[in-house]
Amino acid sequence: IKVANISLGHGVYEPAAQDPLVQAVERLWNAGVVVVCSAGNAGLLGYGTISSPGNSPRVITVGSVSDFGTTSRLDDVVSSFSSRGPTLLDHFAKPDLLAPGNRLFSTIPSNSALANYFPDRLKAYSGKDANYLVLSGTSQAAAVVTGTIALMLDKSPSLDPDTIKARLMRAARKPDLGSPFATAAG
């Protein structure tokens, strides 16, 4: 395993160094696994809403951007639900990156719990049974970044987690305006 997507979380109740979930993802990171965490979906509550383990200073924490289904980046905005930094207690600058996370289509078995819970979000493809689910969230954005990292590792298997994080943050399109605690590196 070279990359792990951790799209789960809980509130921040202790400093990152004392949080068992943060300790677990940092052990993975230190073992050479690139860890991608969703930032959380509490952005409507304002700043300081990054969830654990995304509050780890080591991992790649991903927020969501809404692109309104266009190819132009001019209308892209931070999704309203995307959690914002800084992290509670430690005040780390998070998220690290933004990726598309609004109204993404994903394959899903028609008998899955999510399909049963959100039947109105099931979509058919080419007249076939409804085998896609449309969801929004930083978990979807984190999956986009995880896929990008898998492609990077396929091309350059010797890349380490710190180098991958640095390259992604440096290559991100820098936002023209807005708080870095919402827009991240871009």
Side-chain angles (χ1 to χ4, degrees):
I1 297 172
K2 299 288 284 177
V3 61
N5 180 313
I6 311 293
S7 287
L8 53 80
H10 65 80
V12 174
Y13 306 110
E14 62 258 316
Q18 297 171 4
D19 183 326
L21 195 51
V22 169
Q23 292 172 356
V25 297
E26 288 185 353
R27 278 194 300 274
L28 275 173
W29 187 275
N30 292 336
V33 176
V34 184
V35 180
V36 180
C37 295
S38 55
N41 299 320
L44 290 173
L45 298 175
Y47 292 93
T49 53
I50 300 291
S51 61
S52 170
N55 62 324
S56 163
R58 308 260 331 166
V59 303
I60 300 171
T61 304
V62 182
S64 173
V65 65
S66 297
D67 63 11
F68 299 100
T70 69
T71 56
S72 171
R73 293 182 177 175
L74 296 176
D75 61 350
D76 293 358
V77 296
V78 178
S79 302
S80 60
F81 56 80
S82 187
S83 288
R84 287 140 167 78
T87 63
L88 283 180
L89 306 179
D90 297 304
H91 308 292
F92 298 133
K94 290 286 182 164
D96 299 304
L97 296 170
L98 297 177
N102 193 50
R103 299 190 46 76
L104 294 189
F105 284 69
S106 182
T107 57
I108 189 163
S110 58
N111 61 349
S112 74
L114 274 176
N116 291 326
Y117 193 70
F118 297 112
D120 57 314
R121 296 183 186 183
L122 288 171
K123 303 294 179 193
Y125 178 71
S126 296
K128 296 182 180 181
D129 292 335
N131 54 358
Y132 287 84
L133 187 68
V134 180
L135 287 176
S136 298
T138 60
S139 293
Q140 284 73 15
V144 171
V145 172
T146 302
T148 301
I149 293 167
L151 293 171
M152 291 172 72
L153 287 166
D154 185 54
K155 186 154 182 87
S156 302
S158 64
L159 291 174
D160 63 57
D162 293 319
T163 300
I164 288 173
K165 182 176 181 177
R167 285 185 181 183
L168 287 172
M169 290 180 71
R170 182 176 174 151
R173 183 179 57 90
K174 309 300 182 246
D176 293 330
L177 52 107
S179 167
F181 296 121
T183 61

